[in-house]
Amino acid sequence: MSVDIKKLISQLTLEEKAALCTGETAWTTVPVERLGIPSIWVSDGPHGLRKTPIMAAETSIPATCFPTASAQAATWDVDLVQTIGQALGDECIAQSVDVVLGPGNNMKRTPLCGRNFEYYSEDPFLGGEMAAALINGVQSKGVGTSLKHFATNNQEYQRMTISAEMDERTLREIYLAGFERAVKKGKPWTVMCSYNRLRGTHASQNRYLLTDILKNEWGYEGFIVSDWGAVHDRVAALQAGLDLEMPGPQKFRVQRVVTAVQKGELDLAVLDAAVERILKIVFKAAETPKGKVTLDVDGHHALARKIASEAIVLLKNEGGILPLKNIKRLAVIGKASKEPYFQGGGSSHINPTKVDIPFDELKKLAGSMELLYADGDTMQPGLNQPMIDEAVKVAAQADVALLYIALPPFKESEGIDRPDIDLTDHQVALIKAVSAKQPRCVVILNNGSAVAVGEWINGVAAVLEAWMMGQAGGGAIADVLFGKVNPSGHLSETFPIKLSDTPATINYPGENGKVNYGEGLFIGYRYYDAKAMGVQFPFGYGLSYTTFEFKNLRVSSEKFRDVDGLKVSVDVTNSGAVAGAAVVQLYVHDEKSELVRPVKELKGFAKVMLQPGETRTVNIALDERAFAYYHPRHHQWVTESGAFEILIGKSAGEIVLRHTVQMESTQQRTAMLDRDSTLLDWMNHPRGNEIIKPLIEQAMKNLPADTPIPDWAKDLPMEVVLMWFANQSLTKAPEEMIEDLLALTR
Ligand code: GLC
């Protein structure tokens, strides 16, 4: 049904237009019945639906709670994440929801961020790929998404007021790159602006972010919605490019917009542009019939179980204790095995359709094995020694002890940051006590982001990272423990040895209203590489019940142009005895660049399932962007000709294949000259060189004809060159002269 949006806009009154740009309720937009404009319903997200009739109501309508983003990313499987999106889309249709408020794709700058469970990675390429996959999945069903939180919302501390301060490269290459990839590959119907400030201006009225970059540079065509309560000046927000304010109703703000237009403070064209973007999505949503299908509870539960099992990262497996075999008595310790901790707190909290109880799921697969149980840990603060003693006793009676250790809600949730990256004191004491008595001990972790494990990991035989695993996580853990599923998860964030090793430590959480991203580009593995610092488990790390060999790295060309890109192929062999999936990670190292760059950056990956003995070739295509970095002086992504190393890794800490290629840049660009530009900059600038040539000749007229300009002189700012070597011919002060010369270059 094609609707003439422009015609509709011409028929709307000013009051109706202003009303359309603010929610009617916390979750719906304003309808205009007389013109046949429907309302749309938006709902959280991002890893399941939280449809509630009123703001912040606890009991939302039952929906499938899928593994959260940090678990999804650990699958390194974009196709699988796309299926989550498809299932979410189906659930939206069943519940008559038009837009799901997700995915969240903020970078994991510090493991302390309380919402890291809702975010994908410390790496913008992986995060962008995952977000795009989820968006494509949901939108393939004719339902919209809301890519959030745009942008630089990387902590919960003072999230509504703090100003994120960073240089342009850091912003572009780290904190926007994942959003850019998701916007261009996923085309989300909506983008949600964040609460915080960027460089002093709230995201909700930050024109540079919302219009200059998102709408104009990236060509974004959907609408921008505020985070709930993120708008502070509705007129300024509209002028910056923020189309829809949520939640509604906001009658005073609607009136403020009307008055601003009437007084000429706000150009009606700006309001019309916002209305146009909103109406396009409203009518797009209306094309998908809703509410006429029922939720596929069991099918989605099974999907949630598959994803959770693929997200599980096998961090340690000493002596091949896993998968469990030849065991008569199995001790199951931890309340989390009876009351699973599978999602986080806050706006993403879902009322699940059903929940797997880990203990029960073990029993279903345990066969003749006898299961013993002890509470061990009830996720409460404080140390409970009797509970530990009981657990140790039970563990000692068994052949193997399982410890279900879940990070308690007071340690991780939206709205607050984590106080540390540690488990509770009780949990650490419990693990140490049990493993001292029963070294055949397996720890199963449920947490949303990196935790420190150094205090106890040497004493246990195996560790599974099961994340915030969603409602079917209990079954997924059992599948992996008993070998029904061979774990194939890989870390999407580094597990540091201790918090003080992490890159943001010096500057987090900020003070006096600002947080300085002083580590710049160097977050996550980029930082640990630059510092050559050891970590507990590197980005991309994950073990398997089988082994893999990567060999025969080859490229489509030894020399190539940036615009042609490069194809990379690797043969992967399952050299073990059981089927399993390998994750091939492709990093790029720029051997020489004008500006500093991280040692390596993830630019491609692929997951491949292999039977024992099977070999398959994995092909990864690298485009121009895979070799580029953002140059602040050129205000663009630049490629520089030269040698690049293609690195194939099993993790960021285990590069197994390398190959150097030559890339030729075809970019015709000239640096923007400015007051700091050196003589060399001017000589390399076509127009600049023309301008200064006579000045140089004049300055060197008494020297032998072929006298070279010394390097030290080339490094001088042009203004100093004028002052020292051309002052006789100056007709005005050097600081004025340089401005005249600069004007000639623009
Ligand atoms: C919250 C969150 C956002 C959520 C929105 C609606 O404060 O920041 O992620 O979608 O409000 O609940």
PDB file of all heavy atoms in Angstrom, residues 26-27 43-46 50 55-56 101-102 104 115 118-119 146 148-149 153 156 159-160 192-193 195 226-229 346-348 414, ligand 1:
ATOM      1  N   ALA A  26       4.092   5.598  26.742  1.00  0.00           N
ATOM      2  CA  ALA A  26       5.486   5.159  26.884  1.00  0.00           C
ATOM      3  C   ALA A  26       5.916   4.294  25.720  1.00  0.00           C
ATOM      4  O   ALA A  26       7.106   4.166  25.438  1.00  0.00           O
ATOM      5  CB  ALA A  26       5.631   4.384  28.188  1.00  0.00           C
ATOM      6  N   TRP A  27       4.958   3.658  25.029  1.00  0.00           N
ATOM      7  CA  TRP A  27       5.341   2.658  24.015  1.00  0.00           C
ATOM      8  C   TRP A  27       4.654   2.862  22.670  1.00  0.00           C
ATOM      9  O   TRP A  27       4.847   2.045  21.758  1.00  0.00           O
ATOM     10  CB  TRP A  27       5.011   1.248  24.534  1.00  0.00           C
ATOM     11  CG  TRP A  27       5.570   0.987  25.892  1.00  0.00           C
ATOM     12  CD1 TRP A  27       4.889   0.809  27.044  1.00  0.00           C
ATOM     13  CD2 TRP A  27       6.968   0.952  26.254  1.00  0.00           C
ATOM     14  NE1 TRP A  27       5.736   0.659  28.108  1.00  0.00           N
ATOM     15  CE2 TRP A  27       7.032   0.739  27.647  1.00  0.00           C
ATOM     16  CE3 TRP A  27       8.151   1.089  25.552  1.00  0.00           C
ATOM     17  CZ2 TRP A  27       8.226   0.644  28.332  1.00  0.00           C
ATOM     18  CZ3 TRP A  27       9.354   0.990  26.241  1.00  0.00           C
ATOM     19  CH2 TRP A  27       9.390   0.771  27.614  1.00  0.00           C
ATOM     20  N   SER A  43       8.739  -1.769  21.669  1.00  0.00           N
ATOM     21  CA  SER A  43       8.883  -2.549  22.889  1.00  0.00           C
ATOM     22  C   SER A  43      10.327  -2.995  23.054  1.00  0.00           C
ATOM     23  O   SER A  43      10.987  -3.308  22.064  1.00  0.00           O
ATOM     24  CB  SER A  43       8.002  -3.788  22.764  1.00  0.00           C
ATOM     25  OG  SER A  43       7.622  -4.243  24.012  1.00  0.00           O
ATOM     26  N   ASP A  44      10.802  -3.039  24.294  1.00  0.00           N
ATOM     27  CA  ASP A  44      12.114  -3.646  24.490  1.00  0.00           C
ATOM     28  C   ASP A  44      12.029  -5.109  24.117  1.00  0.00           C
ATOM     29  O   ASP A  44      10.939  -5.686  24.189  1.00  0.00           O
ATOM     30  CB  ASP A  44      12.519  -3.481  25.963  1.00  0.00           C
ATOM     31  CG  ASP A  44      12.893  -2.015  26.240  1.00  0.00           C
ATOM     32  OD1 ASP A  44      13.676  -1.452  25.466  1.00  0.00           O
ATOM     33  OD2 ASP A  44      12.356  -1.468  27.202  1.00  0.00           O
ATOM     34  N   GLY A  45      13.085  -5.689  23.873  1.00  0.00           N
ATOM     35  CA  GLY A  45      14.469  -5.710  23.464  1.00  0.00           C
ATOM     36  C   GLY A  45      15.446  -5.824  24.629  1.00  0.00           C
ATOM     37  O   GLY A  45      15.159  -5.691  25.773  1.00  0.00           O
ATOM     38  N   PRO A  46      16.582  -6.087  24.089  1.00  0.00           N
ATOM     39  CA  PRO A  46      16.899  -6.534  22.735  1.00  0.00           C
ATOM     40  C   PRO A  46      16.974  -8.045  22.565  1.00  0.00           C
ATOM     41  O   PRO A  46      17.016  -8.510  21.435  1.00  0.00           O
ATOM     42  CB  PRO A  46      18.270  -5.917  22.478  1.00  0.00           C
ATOM     43  CG  PRO A  46      18.873  -5.699  23.817  1.00  0.00           C
ATOM     44  CD  PRO A  46      17.776  -5.614  24.813  1.00  0.00           C
ATOM     45  N   ARG A  50       9.678  -7.358  25.829  1.00  0.00           N
ATOM     46  CA  ARG A  50       9.160  -6.955  27.139  1.00  0.00           C
ATOM     47  C   ARG A  50       7.995  -6.005  26.876  1.00  0.00           C
ATOM     48  O   ARG A  50       8.084  -4.810  27.028  1.00  0.00           O
ATOM     49  CB  ARG A  50      10.244  -6.245  27.963  1.00  0.00           C
ATOM     50  CG  ARG A  50       9.797  -5.887  29.370  1.00  0.00           C
ATOM     51  CD  ARG A  50      10.962  -5.293  30.155  1.00  0.00           C
ATOM     52  NE  ARG A  50      11.237  -3.931  29.729  1.00  0.00           N
ATOM     53  CZ  ARG A  50      10.971  -2.859  30.470  1.00  0.00           C
ATOM     54  NH1 ARG A  50      10.380  -3.001  31.645  1.00  0.00           N
ATOM     55  NH2 ARG A  50      11.265  -1.647  30.050  1.00  0.00           N
ATOM     56  N   MET A  55       4.627   2.073  31.666  1.00  0.00           N
ATOM     57  CA  MET A  55       6.073   2.252  31.848  1.00  0.00           C
ATOM     58  C   MET A  55       6.552   1.423  33.023  1.00  0.00           C
ATOM     59  O   MET A  55       5.908   1.360  34.059  1.00  0.00           O
ATOM     60  CB  MET A  55       6.323   3.755  32.136  1.00  0.00           C
ATOM     61  CG  MET A  55       7.770   4.131  32.229  1.00  0.00           C
ATOM     62  SD  MET A  55       8.476   4.181  30.574  1.00  0.00           S
ATOM     63  CE  MET A  55      10.089   4.880  30.966  1.00  0.00           C
ATOM     64  N   ALA A  56       7.645   0.738  32.799  1.00  0.00           N
ATOM     65  CA  ALA A  56       8.373   0.069  33.897  1.00  0.00           C
ATOM     66  C   ALA A  56       7.525  -0.955  34.635  1.00  0.00           C
ATOM     67  O   ALA A  56       7.846  -1.329  35.738  1.00  0.00           O
ATOM     68  CB  ALA A  56       8.909   1.100  34.909  1.00  0.00           C
ATOM     69  N   LEU A 101      13.112  -2.677  20.509  1.00  0.00           N
ATOM     70  CA  LEU A 101      14.144  -1.705  20.882  1.00  0.00           C
ATOM     71  C   LEU A 101      15.480  -2.411  21.134  1.00  0.00           C
ATOM     72  O   LEU A 101      15.863  -2.703  22.255  1.00  0.00           O
ATOM     73  CB  LEU A 101      13.695  -0.903  22.114  1.00  0.00           C
ATOM     74  CG  LEU A 101      12.394  -0.120  21.901  1.00  0.00           C
ATOM     75  CD1 LEU A 101      11.912   0.485  23.208  1.00  0.00           C
ATOM     76  CD2 LEU A 101      12.587   0.963  20.839  1.00  0.00           C
ATOM     77  N   GLY A 102      16.114  -2.693  20.062  1.00  0.00           N
ATOM     78  CA  GLY A 102      17.443  -3.315  20.096  1.00  0.00           C
ATOM     79  C   GLY A 102      17.878  -3.499  18.656  1.00  0.00           C
ATOM     80  O   GLY A 102      17.102  -3.193  17.754  1.00  0.00           O
ATOM     81  N   GLY A 104      21.474  -3.480  21.116  1.00  0.00           N
ATOM     82  CA  GLY A 104      22.418  -2.543  21.749  1.00  0.00           C
ATOM     83  C   GLY A 104      23.804  -2.876  21.218  1.00  0.00           C
ATOM     84  O   GLY A 104      24.170  -4.044  21.149  1.00  0.00           O
ATOM     85  N   ARG A 115      25.831  -2.644  31.819  1.00  0.00           N
ATOM     86  CA  ARG A 115      24.983  -3.139  30.725  1.00  0.00           C
ATOM     87  C   ARG A 115      25.782  -3.924  29.681  1.00  0.00           C
ATOM     88  O   ARG A 115      25.275  -4.210  28.607  1.00  0.00           O
ATOM     89  CB  ARG A 115      24.267  -1.989  30.025  1.00  0.00           C
ATOM     90  CG  ARG A 115      23.146  -1.419  30.823  1.00  0.00           C
ATOM     91  CD  ARG A 115      22.362  -0.420  30.027  1.00  0.00           C
ATOM     92  NE  ARG A 115      21.270  -1.054  29.265  1.00  0.00           N
ATOM     93  CZ  ARG A 115      20.334  -0.352  28.614  1.00  0.00           C
ATOM     94  NH1 ARG A 115      20.393   0.968  28.607  1.00  0.00           N
ATOM     95  NH2 ARG A 115      19.354  -0.961  27.965  1.00  0.00           N
ATOM     96  N   GLU A 118      24.303  -6.556  27.633  1.00  0.00           N
ATOM     97  CA  GLU A 118      23.416  -6.197  26.510  1.00  0.00           C
ATOM     98  C   GLU A 118      24.203  -5.783  25.273  1.00  0.00           C
ATOM     99  O   GLU A 118      23.599  -5.404  24.271  1.00  0.00           O
ATOM    100  CB  GLU A 118      22.543  -5.010  26.922  1.00  0.00           C
ATOM    101  CG  GLU A 118      21.272  -5.372  27.648  1.00  0.00           C
ATOM    102  CD  GLU A 118      20.368  -4.158  27.757  1.00  0.00           C
ATOM    103  OE1 GLU A 118      19.659  -3.846  26.792  1.00  0.00           O
ATOM    104  OE2 GLU A 118      20.398  -3.529  28.833  1.00  0.00           O
ATOM    105  N   TYR A 119      25.509  -5.788  25.366  1.00  0.00           N
ATOM    106  CA  TYR A 119      26.340  -5.322  24.250  1.00  0.00           C
ATOM    107  C   TYR A 119      27.211  -6.459  23.731  1.00  0.00           C
ATOM    108  O   TYR A 119      27.434  -7.443  24.414  1.00  0.00           O
ATOM    109  CB  TYR A 119      27.214  -4.145  24.703  1.00  0.00           C
ATOM    110  CG  TYR A 119      26.435  -2.965  25.244  1.00  0.00           C
ATOM    111  CD1 TYR A 119      26.968  -2.139  26.223  1.00  0.00           C
ATOM    112  CD2 TYR A 119      25.157  -2.663  24.785  1.00  0.00           C
ATOM    113  CE1 TYR A 119      26.256  -1.060  26.738  1.00  0.00           C
ATOM    114  CE2 TYR A 119      24.435  -1.596  25.285  1.00  0.00           C
ATOM    115  CZ  TYR A 119      24.986  -0.800  26.262  1.00  0.00           C
ATOM    116  OH  TYR A 119      24.267   0.262  26.764  1.00  0.00           O
ATOM    117  N   SER A 146      15.618  -0.956  16.632  1.00  0.00           N
ATOM    118  CA  SER A 146      16.128   0.341  17.085  1.00  0.00           C
ATOM    119  C   SER A 146      17.553   0.156  17.565  1.00  0.00           C
ATOM    120  O   SER A 146      17.802  -0.238  18.696  1.00  0.00           O
ATOM    121  CB  SER A 146      15.257   0.898  18.215  1.00  0.00           C
ATOM    122  OG  SER A 146      15.567   2.265  18.413  1.00  0.00           O
ATOM    123  N   LYS A 148      20.853   0.786  19.190  1.00  0.00           N
ATOM    124  CA  LYS A 148      21.048   1.695  20.338  1.00  0.00           C
ATOM    125  C   LYS A 148      22.365   1.414  21.009  1.00  0.00           C
ATOM    126  O   LYS A 148      22.982   0.374  20.739  1.00  0.00           O
ATOM    127  CB  LYS A 148      19.881   1.516  21.313  1.00  0.00           C
ATOM    128  CG  LYS A 148      19.809   0.156  22.020  1.00  0.00           C
ATOM    129  CD  LYS A 148      18.491   0.020  22.796  1.00  0.00           C
ATOM    130  CE  LYS A 148      18.454  -1.245  23.630  1.00  0.00           C
ATOM    131  NZ  LYS A 148      17.181  -1.371  24.373  1.00  0.00           N
ATOM    132  N   HIS A 149      22.904   2.305  21.871  1.00  0.00           N
ATOM    133  CA  HIS A 149      22.429   3.659  22.175  1.00  0.00           C
ATOM    134  C   HIS A 149      23.423   4.607  21.508  1.00  0.00           C
ATOM    135  O   HIS A 149      24.611   4.591  21.868  1.00  0.00           O
ATOM    136  CB  HIS A 149      22.435   3.890  23.665  1.00  0.00           C
ATOM    137  CG  HIS A 149      21.698   2.826  24.418  1.00  0.00           C
ATOM    138  ND1 HIS A 149      22.276   1.628  24.852  1.00  0.00           N
ATOM    139  CD2 HIS A 149      20.394   2.739  24.791  1.00  0.00           C
ATOM    140  CE1 HIS A 149      21.368   0.894  25.462  1.00  0.00           C
ATOM    141  NE2 HIS A 149      20.201   1.536  25.430  1.00  0.00           N
ATOM    142  N   ASN A 153      27.846   5.607  24.798  1.00  0.00           N
ATOM    143  CA  ASN A 153      27.224   5.310  26.113  1.00  0.00           C
ATOM    144  C   ASN A 153      27.906   4.046  26.631  1.00  0.00           C
ATOM    145  O   ASN A 153      27.393   2.946  26.437  1.00  0.00           O
ATOM    146  CB  ASN A 153      25.721   5.104  25.875  1.00  0.00           C
ATOM    147  CG  ASN A 153      24.962   4.745  27.142  1.00  0.00           C
ATOM    148  OD1 ASN A 153      23.790   4.419  27.074  1.00  0.00           O
ATOM    149  ND2 ASN A 153      25.582   4.779  28.275  1.00  0.00           N
ATOM    150  N   GLU A 156      27.342   3.085  32.896  1.00  0.00           N
ATOM    151  CA  GLU A 156      26.048   3.470  33.468  1.00  0.00           C
ATOM    152  C   GLU A 156      26.199   4.626  34.455  1.00  0.00           C
ATOM    153  O   GLU A 156      25.252   5.334  34.716  1.00  0.00           O
ATOM    154  CB  GLU A 156      25.408   2.255  34.147  1.00  0.00           C
ATOM    155  CG  GLU A 156      24.967   1.190  33.147  1.00  0.00           C
ATOM    156  CD  GLU A 156      23.932   1.706  32.172  1.00  0.00           C
ATOM    157  OE1 GLU A 156      22.755   1.813  32.534  1.00  0.00           O
ATOM    158  OE2 GLU A 156      24.301   2.050  31.026  1.00  0.00           O
ATOM    159  N   ARG A 159      24.980   8.131  33.547  1.00  0.00           N
ATOM    160  CA  ARG A 159      24.717   7.911  32.110  1.00  0.00           C
ATOM    161  C   ARG A 159      23.856   9.009  31.500  1.00  0.00           C
ATOM    162  O   ARG A 159      23.842   9.198  30.303  1.00  0.00           O
ATOM    163  CB  ARG A 159      24.080   6.551  31.871  1.00  0.00           C
ATOM    164  CG  ARG A 159      22.672   6.391  32.441  1.00  0.00           C
ATOM    165  CD  ARG A 159      22.039   5.097  31.951  1.00  0.00           C
ATOM    166  NE  ARG A 159      20.742   4.846  32.578  1.00  0.00           N
ATOM    167  CZ  ARG A 159      19.862   3.980  32.105  1.00  0.00           C
ATOM    168  NH1 ARG A 159      20.143   3.268  31.028  1.00  0.00           N
ATOM    169  NH2 ARG A 159      18.688   3.798  32.692  1.00  0.00           N
ATOM    170  N   MET A 160      23.075   9.734  32.307  1.00  0.00           N
ATOM    171  CA  MET A 160      22.192  10.743  31.732  1.00  0.00           C
ATOM    172  C   MET A 160      22.838  12.116  31.617  1.00  0.00           C
ATOM    173  O   MET A 160      22.285  13.017  31.009  1.00  0.00           O
ATOM    174  CB  MET A 160      20.905  10.830  32.560  1.00  0.00           C
ATOM    175  CG  MET A 160      20.088   9.573  32.495  1.00  0.00           C
ATOM    176  SD  MET A 160      18.361   9.887  32.873  1.00  0.00           S
ATOM    177  CE  MET A 160      17.630   8.300  32.506  1.00  0.00           C
ATOM    178  N   MET A 192      18.262   4.639  18.185  1.00  0.00           N
ATOM    179  CA  MET A 192      17.957   5.299  19.451  1.00  0.00           C
ATOM    180  C   MET A 192      19.174   6.069  19.941  1.00  0.00           C
ATOM    181  O   MET A 192      20.262   5.501  20.077  1.00  0.00           O
ATOM    182  CB  MET A 192      17.572   4.252  20.508  1.00  0.00           C
ATOM    183  CG  MET A 192      17.173   4.856  21.840  1.00  0.00           C
ATOM    184  SD  MET A 192      16.990   3.647  23.154  1.00  0.00           S
ATOM    185  CE  MET A 192      15.625   2.669  22.567  1.00  0.00           C
ATOM    186  N   CYS A 193      18.969   7.371  20.190  1.00  0.00           N
ATOM    187  CA  CYS A 193      20.109   8.159  20.684  1.00  0.00           C
ATOM    188  C   CYS A 193      20.325   7.828  22.160  1.00  0.00           C
ATOM    189  O   CYS A 193      19.395   7.395  22.855  1.00  0.00           O
ATOM    190  CB  CYS A 193      19.857   9.650  20.508  1.00  0.00           C
ATOM    191  SG  CYS A 193      18.898  10.395  21.815  1.00  0.00           S
ATOM    192  N   TYR A 195      21.691   8.576  26.244  1.00  0.00           N
ATOM    193  CA  TYR A 195      21.401   9.575  27.280  1.00  0.00           C
ATOM    194  C   TYR A 195      22.518  10.599  27.440  1.00  0.00           C
ATOM    195  O   TYR A 195      22.282  11.756  27.759  1.00  0.00           O
ATOM    196  CB  TYR A 195      21.274   8.855  28.624  1.00  0.00           C
ATOM    197  CG  TYR A 195      19.972   8.146  28.868  1.00  0.00           C
ATOM    198  CD1 TYR A 195      19.948   6.795  29.182  1.00  0.00           C
ATOM    199  CD2 TYR A 195      18.755   8.826  28.830  1.00  0.00           C
ATOM    200  CE1 TYR A 195      18.758   6.136  29.444  1.00  0.00           C
ATOM    201  CE2 TYR A 195      17.559   8.174  29.093  1.00  0.00           C
ATOM    202  CZ  TYR A 195      17.573   6.824  29.403  1.00  0.00           C
ATOM    203  OH  TYR A 195      16.387   6.167  29.653  1.00  0.00           O
ATOM    204  N   SER A 226      14.551   9.069  20.745  1.00  0.00           N
ATOM    205  CA  SER A 226      15.390   9.314  21.937  1.00  0.00           C
ATOM    206  C   SER A 226      15.366   8.100  22.839  1.00  0.00           C
ATOM    207  O   SER A 226      14.397   7.325  22.817  1.00  0.00           O
ATOM    208  CB  SER A 226      14.822  10.507  22.713  1.00  0.00           C
ATOM    209  OG  SER A 226      13.610  10.106  23.354  1.00  0.00           O
ATOM    210  N   ASP A 227      16.395   7.947  23.645  1.00  0.00           N
ATOM    211  CA  ASP A 227      16.230   7.005  24.736  1.00  0.00           C
ATOM    212  C   ASP A 227      15.176   7.625  25.651  1.00  0.00           C
ATOM    213  O   ASP A 227      14.894   8.823  25.578  1.00  0.00           O
ATOM    214  CB  ASP A 227      17.563   6.777  25.474  1.00  0.00           C
ATOM    215  CG  ASP A 227      17.529   5.493  26.292  1.00  0.00           C
ATOM    216  OD1 ASP A 227      16.405   5.027  26.597  1.00  0.00           O
ATOM    217  OD2 ASP A 227      18.596   4.957  26.605  1.00  0.00           O
ATOM    218  N   TRP A 228      14.617   6.814  26.498  1.00  0.00           N
ATOM    219  CA  TRP A 228      13.444   7.252  27.283  1.00  0.00           C
ATOM    220  C   TRP A 228      13.850   8.310  28.319  1.00  0.00           C
ATOM    221  O   TRP A 228      14.511   7.986  29.293  1.00  0.00           O
ATOM    222  CB  TRP A 228      12.796   6.030  27.914  1.00  0.00           C
ATOM    223  CG  TRP A 228      11.719   5.407  27.063  1.00  0.00           C
ATOM    224  CD1 TRP A 228      10.435   5.117  27.442  1.00  0.00           C
ATOM    225  CD2 TRP A 228      11.796   4.987  25.704  1.00  0.00           C
ATOM    226  NE1 TRP A 228       9.726   4.539  26.416  1.00  0.00           N
ATOM    227  CE2 TRP A 228      10.530   4.476  25.332  1.00  0.00           C
ATOM    228  CE3 TRP A 228      12.809   5.015  24.723  1.00  0.00           C
ATOM    229  CZ2 TRP A 228      10.255   3.984  24.042  1.00  0.00           C
ATOM    230  CZ3 TRP A 228      12.532   4.528  23.456  1.00  0.00           C
ATOM    231  CH2 TRP A 228      11.276   4.019  23.122  1.00  0.00           C
ATOM    232  N   GLY A 229      13.489   9.544  28.016  1.00  0.00           N
ATOM    233  CA  GLY A 229      13.838  10.632  28.919  1.00  0.00           C
ATOM    234  C   GLY A 229      15.147  11.292  28.569  1.00  0.00           C
ATOM    235  O   GLY A 229      15.704  12.064  29.337  1.00  0.00           O
ATOM    236  N   GLY A 346      16.838  -4.486  34.525  1.00  0.00           N
ATOM    237  CA  GLY A 346      16.591  -3.244  33.795  1.00  0.00           C
ATOM    238  C   GLY A 346      15.611  -3.418  32.659  1.00  0.00           C
ATOM    239  O   GLY A 346      14.789  -4.337  32.643  1.00  0.00           O
ATOM    240  N   SER A 347      15.747  -2.575  31.652  1.00  0.00           N
ATOM    241  CA  SER A 347      14.731  -2.519  30.585  1.00  0.00           C
ATOM    242  C   SER A 347      14.719  -3.784  29.735  1.00  0.00           C
ATOM    243  O   SER A 347      13.764  -4.019  29.004  1.00  0.00           O
ATOM    244  CB  SER A 347      15.024  -1.319  29.682  1.00  0.00           C
ATOM    245  OG  SER A 347      16.302  -1.481  29.086  1.00  0.00           O
ATOM    246  N   SER A 348      15.786  -4.584  29.812  1.00  0.00           N
ATOM    247  CA  SER A 348      15.811  -5.784  28.955  1.00  0.00           C
ATOM    248  C   SER A 348      15.230  -6.997  29.680  1.00  0.00           C
ATOM    249  O   SER A 348      15.233  -8.110  29.144  1.00  0.00           O
ATOM    250  CB  SER A 348      17.258  -6.104  28.559  1.00  0.00           C
ATOM    251  OG  SER A 348      17.964  -6.557  29.703  1.00  0.00           O
ATOM    252  N   GLU A 414      21.486  -2.945  34.378  1.00  0.00           N
ATOM    253  CA  GLU A 414      21.322  -1.611  33.789  1.00  0.00           C
ATOM    254  C   GLU A 414      21.182  -0.614  34.937  1.00  0.00           C
ATOM    255  O   GLU A 414      20.634  -0.921  35.986  1.00  0.00           O
ATOM    256  CB  GLU A 414      20.064  -1.566  32.932  1.00  0.00           C
ATOM    257  CG  GLU A 414      19.778  -0.162  32.388  1.00  0.00           C
ATOM    258  CD  GLU A 414      18.506  -0.081  31.579  1.00  0.00           C
ATOM    259  OE1 GLU A 414      17.976  -1.135  31.189  1.00  0.00           O
ATOM    260  OE2 GLU A 414      18.053   1.052  31.334  1.00  0.00           O
TER     261      GLU A 414
HETATM  262  C1  GLC B   1      15.970   2.504  28.923  1.00  0.00           C
HETATM  263  C2  GLC B   1      17.153   2.009  28.135  1.00  0.00           C
HETATM  264  C3  GLC B   1      16.828   1.670  26.718  1.00  0.00           C
HETATM  265  C4  GLC B   1      15.409   1.151  26.641  1.00  0.00           C
HETATM  266  C5  GLC B   1      14.491   2.288  26.978  1.00  0.00           C
HETATM  267  C6  GLC B   1      13.030   1.858  27.027  1.00  0.00           C
HETATM  268  O1  GLC B   1      16.343   3.475  29.834  1.00  0.00           O
HETATM  269  O2  GLC B   1      18.322   2.824  28.165  1.00  0.00           O
HETATM  270  O3  GLC B   1      17.778   0.699  26.277  1.00  0.00           O
HETATM  271  O4  GLC B   1      15.131   0.653  25.342  1.00  0.00           O
HETATM  272  O5  GLC B   1      14.830   2.916  28.199  1.00  0.00           O
HETATM  273  O6  GLC B   1      12.822   0.989  28.092  1.00  0.00           O
END
